[in-house]
Amino acid sequence: MIQPPPSYRNPKQAAEHRAYMIRTVLWLAAVPPLLFALMVYGYSDQAPGFLRDFTASLDGALGRPVWNFLRPPGS
């Protein structure tokens, strides 16, 4: 069985990969909470009509996770 030769990263490649991973983790950590906060605001009375319509359609397309979170108990 032949094994592939090991691949080594030089310091520049390692720094680029580290920067890429940090950028990716920050996006994954920041975007979902911000989207959730925008959708919660979209369900409020203070939101403009177009945002309420957009929020309801987007939430419906995703399976209503925000509405299930905001829904009053027993309804």
Side-chain angles (χ1 to χ4, degrees):
M1 182 172 178
I2 299 174
Q3 293 184 355
S7 62
Y8 298 104
R9 291 187 182 151
N10 62 29
K12 181 181 177 186
Q13 289 173 330
E16 289 172 353
H17 181 68
R18 211 171 18 257
Y20 170 78
M21 292 304 294
I22 290 171
R23 210 172 34 247
T24 302
V25 167
L26 285 176
W27 272 101
L28 290 175
V31 170
L34 289 175
L35 181 62
F36 184 80
L38 179 68
M39 290 181 70
V40 167
Y41 173 70
Y43 273 117
S44 73
D45 292 336
Q46 291 86 18
F50 72 89
L51 183 59
R52 278 183 278 177
D53 295 338
F54 176 73
T55 299
S57 63
L58 179 62
D59 198 28
L62 296 175
R64 300 222 173 268
V66 176
W67 178 246
N68 289 335
F69 181 75
L70 295 174
R71 179 179 52 200
S75 64

XYZ file of all heavy atoms in Angstrom:
594
model
N 0.835 -1.168 0.000
C 0.000 0.000 0.000
C 0.891 1.247 0.000
O 1.744 1.409 0.867
C -0.890 -0.030 1.230
C -1.828 1.082 1.323
S -2.897 0.654 2.718
C -3.924 1.972 2.813
N 0.650 2.119 -0.963
C 1.463 3.316 -1.092
C 0.757 4.481 -0.408
O -0.423 4.728 -0.638
C 1.697 3.648 -2.583
C 2.431 2.487 -3.257
C 2.470 4.938 -2.736
C 2.579 2.648 -4.746
N 1.491 5.151 0.442
C 0.927 6.309 1.141
C 1.352 7.582 0.425
O 2.469 7.664 -0.088
C 1.412 6.345 2.581
C 0.876 5.196 3.401
C 1.293 5.318 4.850
O 2.039 6.193 5.228
N 0.797 4.412 5.662
N 0.457 8.568 0.401
C 0.842 9.821 -0.250
C 1.914 10.536 0.568
O 2.003 10.364 1.784
C -0.459 10.626 -0.269
C -1.280 10.056 0.822
C -0.890 8.609 0.926
N 2.722 11.311 -0.090
C 3.763 12.026 0.655
C 3.125 13.069 1.573
O 2.078 13.631 1.265
C 4.599 12.695 -0.445
C 3.684 12.774 -1.619
C 2.760 11.605 -1.511
N 3.743 13.326 2.715
C 3.177 14.313 3.632
C 3.252 15.720 3.023
O 4.171 16.030 2.267
C 4.046 14.203 4.876
C 5.314 13.609 4.395
C 4.976 12.747 3.225
N 2.257 16.512 3.327
C 2.283 17.897 2.842
C 2.528 18.818 4.028
O 1.870 18.707 5.064
C 0.966 18.244 2.155
O -0.102 18.151 3.066
N 3.465 19.672 3.876
C 3.844 20.593 4.933
C 3.445 22.000 4.516
O 3.508 22.355 3.343
C 5.352 20.535 5.206
C 5.805 19.184 5.682
C 6.467 18.311 4.841
C 5.550 18.782 6.989
C 6.873 17.065 5.279
C 5.953 17.530 7.438
C 6.611 16.682 6.577
O 7.010 15.459 7.010
N 3.065 22.793 5.473
C 2.749 24.194 5.216
C 3.918 25.056 5.655
O 4.467 24.861 6.738
C 1.513 24.624 5.993
C 0.256 24.015 5.525
C -0.910 24.622 6.248
N -2.131 23.971 5.796
C -3.210 23.827 6.523
N -3.250 24.289 7.748
N -4.267 23.231 6.034
N 4.237 26.012 4.798
C 5.260 26.970 5.223
C 4.587 27.994 6.139
O 3.357 28.026 6.252
C 5.963 27.600 4.016
C 5.019 28.394 3.136
O 4.020 28.945 3.611
N 5.324 28.459 1.844
N 5.332 28.829 6.819
C 4.734 29.783 7.764
C 3.706 30.717 7.124
O 2.706 31.067 7.742
C 5.935 30.562 8.301
C 7.083 29.620 8.156
C 6.797 28.834 6.915
N 3.932 31.120 5.874
C 2.978 32.004 5.198
C 1.650 31.278 4.967
O 0.583 31.838 5.200
C 3.559 32.487 3.871
C 2.634 33.427 3.135
C 3.212 33.866 1.810
C 2.207 34.735 1.083
N 2.654 35.069 -0.260
N 1.702 30.036 4.508
C 0.474 29.258 4.292
C -0.249 29.011 5.612
O -1.479 29.058 5.666
C 0.803 27.927 3.622
C 1.217 28.047 2.189
C 1.696 26.717 1.637
O 2.229 25.872 2.381
N 1.521 26.523 0.340
N 0.504 28.750 6.668
C -0.108 28.518 7.979
C -0.804 29.784 8.466
O -1.923 29.723 9.005
C 0.956 28.070 8.981
N -0.202 30.946 8.273
C -0.820 32.206 8.687
C -2.072 32.492 7.868
O -3.088 32.957 8.405
C 0.185 33.347 8.546
N -2.031 32.220 6.561
C -3.209 32.423 5.710
C -4.340 31.492 6.133
O -5.506 31.900 6.177
C -2.853 32.194 4.248
C -1.984 33.267 3.651
C -1.484 32.916 2.260
O -1.700 31.766 1.806
O -0.865 33.793 1.626
N -4.014 30.246 6.438
C -5.042 29.293 6.869
C -5.634 29.707 8.219
O -6.845 29.634 8.416
C -4.444 27.892 6.962
C -5.438 26.858 7.372
N -6.478 26.469 6.567
C -5.580 26.148 8.515
C -7.202 25.568 7.189
N -6.676 25.355 8.380
N -4.791 30.167 9.139
C -5.267 30.634 10.434
C -6.197 31.832 10.272
O -7.258 31.901 10.896
C -4.062 30.999 11.307
C -4.255 30.792 12.764
C -2.996 30.954 13.604
N -1.862 31.656 13.025
C -0.773 31.069 12.540
N -0.656 29.761 12.564
N 0.209 31.785 12.038
N -5.836 32.771 9.401
C -6.677 33.947 9.157
C -8.007 33.528 8.534
O -9.067 34.059 8.891
C -5.949 34.934 8.252
N -7.966 32.570 7.623
C -9.194 32.065 7.002
C -10.106 31.414 8.046
O -11.310 31.646 8.061
C -8.844 31.067 5.897
C -10.033 30.315 5.375
C -10.921 30.910 4.492
C -10.296 29.008 5.785
C -12.029 30.230 4.023
C -11.393 28.329 5.327
C -12.253 28.939 4.444
O -13.354 28.259 3.987
N -9.532 30.622 8.922
C -10.325 29.949 9.948
C -10.923 30.960 10.931
O -12.085 30.827 11.336
C -9.481 28.912 10.702
C -9.091 27.726 9.854
S -10.500 26.871 9.122
C -11.291 26.247 10.565
N -10.171 31.959 11.327
C -10.683 32.989 12.231
C -11.832 33.733 11.573
O -12.873 33.975 12.195
C -9.553 33.950 12.658
C -8.581 33.226 13.583
C -10.106 35.206 13.319
C -7.315 33.993 13.887
N -11.671 34.095 10.304
C -12.727 34.790 9.567
C -13.985 33.924 9.481
O -15.096 34.406 9.687
C -12.197 35.128 8.178
C -12.770 36.342 7.562
C -12.086 36.767 6.265
N -11.589 35.715 5.413
C -10.301 35.486 5.159
N -9.379 36.248 5.710
N -9.929 34.515 4.356
N -13.820 32.656 9.197
C -14.960 31.745 9.080
C -15.675 31.579 10.412
O -16.907 31.639 10.473
C -14.475 30.366 8.571
O -13.828 30.553 7.312
C -15.628 29.401 8.420
N -14.943 31.397 11.479
C -15.553 31.222 12.799
C -16.283 32.496 13.232
O -17.391 32.421 13.786
C -14.481 30.816 13.833
C -15.000 30.937 15.251
C -14.004 29.402 13.565
N -15.700 33.657 12.958
C -16.375 34.905 13.303
C -17.686 35.053 12.537
O -18.698 35.478 13.105
C -15.463 36.101 13.042
C -14.346 36.307 14.050
C -13.448 37.466 13.636
C -14.903 36.526 15.437
N -17.694 34.726 11.253
C -18.932 34.795 10.469
C -19.973 33.834 11.016
O -21.151 34.179 11.152
C -18.675 34.490 8.998
C -18.312 35.706 8.218
C -17.063 36.094 7.830
C -19.204 36.716 7.755
N -17.136 37.273 7.161
C -18.436 37.683 7.093
C -20.577 36.896 7.839
C -19.002 38.813 6.516
C -21.142 38.018 7.258
C -20.352 38.953 6.612
N -19.566 32.621 11.339
C -20.517 31.633 11.851
C -21.020 32.005 13.239
O -22.141 31.664 13.608
C -19.878 30.252 11.877
C -19.629 29.629 10.509
C -18.883 28.306 10.663
C -20.918 29.426 9.755
N -20.204 32.710 14.012
C -20.614 33.100 15.367
C -21.455 34.370 15.369
O -22.274 34.562 16.263
C -19.377 33.301 16.243
N -21.286 35.243 14.378
C -21.965 36.536 14.396
C -23.231 36.577 13.544
O -24.216 37.193 13.946
C -21.009 37.624 13.923
N -23.232 35.955 12.401
C -24.350 36.113 11.463
C -25.648 35.477 11.971
O -26.695 36.136 11.928
C -23.955 35.595 10.065
C -25.142 35.527 9.147
C -22.893 36.509 9.473
N -25.672 34.242 12.452
C -26.959 33.683 12.908
C -27.620 34.479 14.034
O -28.825 34.742 13.943
C -26.603 32.261 13.342
C -25.405 31.921 12.524
C -24.634 33.203 12.411
N -26.895 34.932 15.075
C -27.578 35.745 16.088
C -28.093 37.076 15.542
O -29.172 37.536 15.925
C -26.521 35.979 17.165
C -25.530 34.895 16.976
C -25.543 34.570 15.521
N -27.341 37.704 14.643
C -27.810 38.961 14.057
C -29.051 38.740 13.193
O -29.987 39.541 13.233
C -26.700 39.608 13.236
C -25.548 40.190 14.027
C -24.452 40.697 13.095
C -26.029 41.306 14.926
N -29.072 37.666 12.425
C -30.248 37.343 11.615
C -31.447 37.050 12.514
O -32.565 37.496 12.242
C -29.954 36.149 10.705
C -31.072 35.717 9.778
C -31.433 36.831 8.810
C -30.668 34.476 9.015
N -31.230 36.329 13.601
C -32.309 36.034 14.535
C -32.842 37.319 15.158
O -34.061 37.511 15.253
C -31.811 35.077 15.625
C -32.879 34.644 16.579
C -33.764 33.644 16.228
C -33.013 35.251 17.822
C -34.765 33.248 17.102
C -34.003 34.861 18.693
C -34.882 33.856 18.330
N -31.953 38.230 15.562
C -32.381 39.502 16.155
C -33.167 40.334 15.144
O -34.183 40.952 15.496
C -31.176 40.276 16.657
N -32.735 40.350 13.892
C -33.470 41.080 12.860
C -34.851 40.483 12.652
O -35.839 41.207 12.503
C -32.689 41.070 11.548
C -33.363 41.770 10.374
C -33.427 43.268 10.635
C -32.624 41.479 9.092
N -34.953 39.160 12.687
C -36.255 38.519 12.495
C -37.159 38.745 13.701
O -38.369 38.918 13.539
C -36.062 37.036 12.199
C -35.449 36.814 10.830
S -35.226 35.101 10.421
C -36.910 34.586 10.203
N -36.605 38.758 14.901
C -37.416 39.063 16.085
C -37.950 40.486 15.984
O -39.122 40.741 16.259
C -36.596 38.857 17.378
C -37.301 39.458 18.574
C -36.342 37.379 17.608
N -37.101 41.413 15.554
C -37.560 42.788 15.356
C -38.615 42.837 14.251
O -39.576 43.608 14.336
C -36.387 43.700 15.005
C -36.828 45.093 14.621
C -37.344 45.961 15.567
C -36.739 45.534 13.311
C -37.756 47.240 15.221
C -37.147 46.805 12.955
C -37.658 47.643 13.915
O -38.077 48.903 13.559
N -38.467 42.016 13.230
C -39.430 41.992 12.132
C -40.816 41.572 12.585
O -41.812 41.939 11.951
N -40.943 40.824 13.646
C -42.247 40.425 14.170
C -42.835 41.481 15.117
O -43.980 41.364 15.517
C -42.155 39.095 14.919
C -42.315 37.895 14.017
C -41.283 36.983 13.853
C -43.488 37.673 13.341
C -41.432 35.882 13.033
C -43.649 36.580 12.518
C -42.613 35.687 12.363
O -42.774 34.613 11.554
N -42.069 42.520 15.462
C -42.571 43.524 16.405
C -43.478 44.528 15.696
O -43.488 44.639 14.466
C -41.412 44.252 17.080
O -40.788 45.131 16.160
N -44.216 45.276 16.484
C -45.108 46.293 15.932
C -44.349 47.490 15.391
O -44.881 48.234 14.567
C -46.090 46.774 17.001
C -47.073 45.698 17.401
O -47.293 44.785 16.590
O -47.601 45.775 18.524
N -43.130 47.716 15.838
C -42.352 48.867 15.390
C -41.723 48.659 14.018
O -41.265 49.609 13.395
C -41.238 49.203 16.388
C -41.737 49.754 17.694
C -42.094 48.649 18.678
O -41.674 47.517 18.505
N -42.870 48.988 19.677
N -41.685 47.439 13.520
C -41.053 47.148 12.236
C -41.918 47.665 11.088
O -43.145 47.623 11.156
C -40.839 45.647 12.082
N -41.278 48.154 10.025
C -42.046 48.573 8.852
C -42.747 47.378 8.200
O -42.339 46.225 8.384
C -40.996 49.156 7.918
C -39.685 49.048 8.584
C -39.862 48.386 9.893
N -43.775 47.656 7.439
C -44.584 46.600 6.841
C -43.802 45.665 5.939
O -44.000 44.450 5.960
N -42.907 46.223 5.118
C -42.148 45.357 4.213
C -41.257 44.400 4.992
O -41.059 43.255 4.586
C -41.330 46.183 3.218
C -40.145 46.892 3.816
C -38.920 46.264 3.881
C -40.259 48.182 4.313
C -37.821 46.906 4.431
C -39.168 48.834 4.860
C -37.949 48.194 4.919
N -40.716 44.851 6.138
C -39.868 43.970 6.946
C -40.700 42.882 7.617
O -40.266 41.737 7.710
C -39.095 44.773 7.994
C -38.116 43.976 8.855
C -37.070 43.286 7.983
C -37.433 44.876 9.864
N -41.914 43.223 8.048
C -42.788 42.202 8.636
C -43.149 41.142 7.606
O -43.128 39.944 7.898
C -44.046 42.843 9.202
C -43.809 43.419 10.577
C -45.061 43.975 11.134
N -45.173 45.310 10.548
C -46.168 46.130 10.722
N -47.195 45.769 11.437
N -46.168 47.321 10.186
N -43.479 41.567 6.367
C -43.799 40.606 5.311
C -42.596 39.734 4.972
O -42.721 38.516 4.821
C -44.273 41.334 4.055
C -45.579 42.069 4.259
O -46.324 41.699 5.203
O -45.849 43.007 3.485
N -41.425 40.365 4.868
C -40.209 39.614 4.568
C -39.880 38.626 5.683
O -39.519 37.481 5.426
C -39.036 40.577 4.347
C -37.732 39.884 4.127
C -37.473 39.244 2.937
C -36.768 39.846 5.122
C -36.269 38.588 2.728
C -35.566 39.200 4.935
C -35.316 38.567 3.722
N -40.026 39.079 6.925
C -39.734 38.215 8.072
C -40.667 37.009 8.095
O -40.223 35.882 8.307
C -39.865 39.006 9.384
O -38.922 40.062 9.366
C -39.615 38.128 10.586
N -41.953 37.237 7.869
C -42.909 36.130 7.884
C -42.616 35.136 6.768
O -42.678 33.918 6.978
C -44.325 36.666 7.769
N -42.278 35.624 5.577
C -41.995 34.703 4.470
C -40.682 33.951 4.692
O -40.599 32.750 4.434
C -41.978 35.447 3.138
O -40.946 36.400 3.115
N -39.654 34.647 5.182
C -38.376 33.980 5.439
C -38.515 32.968 6.565
O -37.997 31.852 6.477
C -37.298 35.010 5.771
C -35.910 34.459 6.081
C -35.355 33.725 4.872
C -34.976 35.578 6.484
N -39.221 33.335 7.609
C -39.418 32.422 8.737
C -40.211 31.199 8.297
O -39.916 30.076 8.696
C -40.126 33.154 9.874
C -39.997 32.448 11.205
O -38.996 31.734 11.402
O -40.887 32.616 12.053
N -41.213 31.403 7.452
C -41.982 30.272 6.934
C -41.141 29.353 6.074
O -41.287 28.131 6.119
N -40.246 29.928 5.279
C -39.379 29.119 4.424
C -38.392 28.293 5.247
O -37.980 27.209 4.823
C -38.617 30.016 3.453
N -38.022 28.794 6.420
C -37.070 28.077 7.274
C -37.746 27.132 8.261
O -37.085 26.522 9.093
C -36.206 29.082 8.044
C -35.307 29.977 7.196
C -34.606 30.996 8.058
C -34.303 29.151 6.425
N -39.071 27.036 8.224
C -39.774 26.132 9.128
C -40.267 26.795 10.395
O -40.563 26.116 11.369
N -40.343 28.098 10.413
C -40.854 28.904 11.518
C -40.074 28.744 12.832
O -40.667 28.640 13.898
C -42.323 28.615 11.762
C -43.187 28.919 10.579
C -44.446 29.608 11.035
N -45.239 30.066 9.907
C -45.126 31.283 9.387
N -44.283 32.126 9.860
N -45.871 31.644 8.368
N -38.725 28.772 12.810
C -37.994 28.664 14.075
C -38.169 29.882 14.964
O -38.236 29.763 16.184
C -36.543 28.497 13.646
C -36.474 29.134 12.303
C -37.822 28.880 11.673
N -38.245 31.077 14.378
C -38.378 32.292 15.183
C -39.779 32.375 15.770
O -39.954 32.689 16.948
C -38.037 33.544 14.340
C -38.263 34.812 15.131
C -36.599 33.477 13.853
N -40.794 32.088 14.960
C -42.163 32.161 15.469
C -42.375 31.125 16.565
O -43.043 31.390 17.556
C -43.178 31.976 14.364
C -44.575 32.013 14.891
C -45.465 30.993 14.918
C -45.236 33.114 15.519
N -46.628 31.389 15.500
C -46.513 32.693 15.886
C -44.861 34.412 15.811
C -47.421 33.525 16.536
C -45.763 35.238 16.447
C -47.033 34.791 16.811
N -41.814 29.933 16.429
C -41.941 28.922 17.481
C -41.276 29.382 18.772
O -41.712 29.031 19.859
C -41.343 27.598 17.027
C -42.197 26.932 15.970
O -43.404 27.164 15.892
N -41.574 26.130 15.133
N -40.227 30.177 18.661
C -39.554 30.715 19.842
C -40.374 31.829 20.483
O -40.443 31.937 21.706
C -38.171 31.230 19.457
C -37.379 31.774 20.595
C -36.785 30.931 21.521
C -37.229 33.133 20.759
C -36.060 31.430 22.578
C -36.489 33.654 21.806
C -35.908 32.801 22.719
N -41.023 32.683 19.652
C -41.757 33.829 20.146
C -43.202 33.526 20.502
O -43.848 34.320 21.195
C -41.759 34.950 19.086
C -40.411 35.555 18.752
C -40.561 36.532 17.600
C -39.812 36.238 19.942
N -43.733 32.410 20.028
C -45.139 32.085 20.205
C -45.502 32.019 21.691
O -44.765 31.437 22.491
C -45.415 30.737 19.543
C -46.835 30.267 19.660
C -47.032 28.938 18.973
N -46.029 27.989 19.451
C -45.701 26.903 18.796
N -46.265 26.603 17.666
N -44.792 26.091 19.288
N -46.666 32.589 22.049
C -47.103 32.492 23.454
C -47.366 31.032 23.815
O -47.807 30.245 22.983
C -48.388 33.300 23.495
C -48.452 34.057 22.233
C -47.563 33.379 21.246
N -47.114 30.651 25.050
C -47.356 29.260 25.454
C -48.845 28.913 25.369
O -49.705 29.734 25.646
C -46.865 29.181 26.891
C -46.523 30.561 27.309
C -46.569 31.448 26.118
N -49.133 27.723 24.933
C -50.499 27.244 24.850
C -51.209 27.592 23.564
O -52.400 27.343 23.413
N -50.512 28.199 22.601
C -51.193 28.527 21.337
C -50.694 27.672 20.219
O -49.721 27.027 20.247
C -50.972 29.994 20.982
O -49.606 30.259 20.742
